[in-house]
Amino acid sequence: MNPLSRFQGNAWFQAGRLAYLALFAMTLIAAASWLFSNVRQIEPDKRAVVMRFGAVSRTAGAGLLLAWPEPLEQVEILPASDRVIEHHVTALLRADIVPAWNNTGGGKSDAVAGAGYLLTGDSGVVQLDVQVYYVITDPVAFVLQGEHVLPALDRLTEHAAVAICASRDLDTILVARPEIAGNGSNIAERRERLRGDLRQGINQQLAALSAGGSSTGIEVRRVDVQSSLPPSAVDAFNAVLTASQQADQNIANASNEAARVHQDAVQSADRALQVSHAKASEQIARASTDTATIVQLADDHSPELLWRLWRERMPAILAHAGSVTAVDPHDDAHLILPGPDRPTSQP
């Protein structure tokens, strides 16, 4: 055999051997990677649900998880029981509902004219933007429900929102008519309880599903609600509020004017009363001066002077009278005086 041919044969043999060894090593690495693919570290704020051939096998908390590789076992990583998960319920938003219906219906439809609005107990209309914060209480049920959990939560939130809005009037949901007299602390307190009532309604429905064997494995811890009016109704409410504020301003102005008039009247009455008291004091002083002589004579018991003053002054006084009838006070006779003439009645 030619030495060159022998050398070439050894080279091909060595190359084939190296390729085989490389392929074998890669196979071993791939097999080891597949065998240990489900061996992982679970974070402290997470937990794992291990399913074997589609059936739940076990649950594991934080730490090292040893599981058979897929498709023998599947591992679902879930948040821990104390971790709160946020979910935005977009099924109640008109901006998300109407375009979807119009696109599927081949144009604008009157069927969605009221979509996204909730009817209140006093026939008002309101829109709610709801944020739901929940925790996973049963990881097994949560994994079994899978992708149906969030749609079920949306439907339960819609149902609870419809029931709560129907049991309340508009002002116990949002400040729509601040001008009404009943919009006091009681209504404000009920408005604050809206979120708690909505959370309680959702949890009651979740408990009913669990009792019926269809547990979703979640519990709602908190609900945030932003309420709003339809855009077409905002202008009307603003107009009513403006008119109410203008009426209140007019009432305040009228009250101020009435108070000013009352104050002026009181001042005028006080001034007139003071003037009357001054005139009365002046007249009393003048009368006292005029009668001082007679009073003094009466005190001095001078009948001759009294009769002289009587004769001097009485004629001037009696001259102004139409008629005078003199009666002796010491006479016991009875005197009959004619009364005023009465008009005779006509038959």
Side-chain angles (χ1 to χ4, degrees):
M1 180 178 294
N2 189 351
L4 181 60
S5 299
R6 186 183 303 125
F7 177 76
Q8 292 176 351
N10 291 333
W12 282 106
F13 175 76
Q14 293 294 334
R17 183 182 178 186
L18 291 176
Y20 173 77
L21 292 175
L23 181 61
F24 182 73
M26 293 176 62
T27 303
L28 290 178
I29 294 174
S33 300
W34 174 77
L35 184 63
F36 295 98
S37 60
N38 271 344
V39 178
R40 63 186 71 186
Q41 180 71 26
I42 306 300
E43 300 295 334
D45 60 340
K46 296 180 181 179
R47 52 185 165 171
V49 177
V50 181
M51 295 182 293
R52 182 175 297 171
F53 299 110
V56 177
S57 174
R58 64 187 185 277
T59 60
L64 183 63
L65 175 65
L66 300 177
W68 291 105
E70 294 183 356
L72 301 180
E73 289 183 346
Q74 297 84 30
V75 178
E76 292 287 341
I77 305 298
L78 300 177
S81 59
D82 57 349
R83 182 178 175 183
V84 179
I85 306 172
E86 178 183 358
H87 175 63
H88 190 198
V89 183
T90 59
L92 290 171
L93 299 180
R94 179 177 173 84
D96 294 339
I97 298 175
V98 174
W101 276 73
N102 288 336
N103 291 336
T104 57
K108 294 184 178 181
S109 174
D110 293 338
V112 296
Y117 297 137
L118 301 176
L119 190 65
T120 62
D122 57 349
S123 300
V125 178
V126 68
Q127 184 178 23
L128 300 182
D129 186 2
V130 181
Q131 293 279 129
V132 178
Y133 298 86
Y134 65 92
V135 295
I136 300 175
T137 56
D138 188 352
V140 175
F142 184 84
V143 170
L144 291 179
Q145 292 293 340
E147 60 183 7
H148 302 291
V149 174
L150 293 183
L153 181 59
D154 288 345
R155 290 193 295 271
L156 295 180
T157 304
E158 290 181 74
H159 183 273
V162 170
I164 290 176
C165 289
S167 63
R168 293 167 170 262
D169 55 19
L170 187 61
D171 288 281
T172 57
I173 300 176
L174 77 165
V175 182
R177 294 165 293 190
E179 72 279 359
I180 64 176
N183 202 349
S185 59
N186 185 24
I187 294 181
E189 183 180 355
R190 292 188 61 190
R191 197 180 300 130
E192 290 294 331
R193 292 204 305 264
L194 174 64
R195 294 179 295 178
D197 294 343
L198 184 58
R199 179 184 64 84
Q200 183 178 1
I202 298 173
N203 285 330
Q204 287 177 353
Q205 296 180 81
L206 290 173
L209 287 179
S210 299
S214 301
S215 174
T216 57
I218 64 174
E219 179 184 354
V220 176
R221 292 292 178 84
R222 183 165 63 93
V223 175
D224 287 345
V225 180
Q226 291 183 354
S227 53
S228 59
L229 293 170
S232 57
V234 173
D235 295 337
F237 278 100
N238 290 337
V240 173
L241 180 59
T242 302
S244 176
Q245 292 175 347
Q246 185 65 36
D248 293 339
Q249 183 178 0
N250 294 337
I251 293 174
N253 294 335
S255 299
N256 294 334
E257 182 65 19
R260 187 187 63 79
V261 173
H262 179 266
Q263 184 178 4
D264 294 341
V266 171
Q267 291 177 354
S268 300
D270 293 340
R271 190 181 304 111
L273 185 60
Q274 292 175 359
V275 172
S276 299
H277 283 304
K279 289 183 177 180
S281 300
E282 182 181 356
Q283 292 178 358
I284 292 174
R286 186 181 300 115
S288 298
T289 303
D290 294 339
T291 59
T293 304
I294 299 177
V295 172
Q296 184 177 2
L297 293 175
D299 292 338
D300 293 340
H301 303 285
S302 301
E304 294 81 4
L305 295 177
L306 288 176
W307 277 110
R308 191 180 67 183
L309 291 175
W310 172 272
R311 289 191 297 269
E312 291 177 356
R313 299 186 181 184
M314 285 305 297
I317 296 174
L318 297 177
H320 296 285
S323 62
V324 178
T325 302
V327 179
D328 186 0
H330 302 289
D331 189 1
D332 58 355
H334 297 283
L335 178 65
I336 299 176
L337 298 176
D341 296 335
R342 295 184 179 180
T344 57
S345 59
Q346 298 295 330

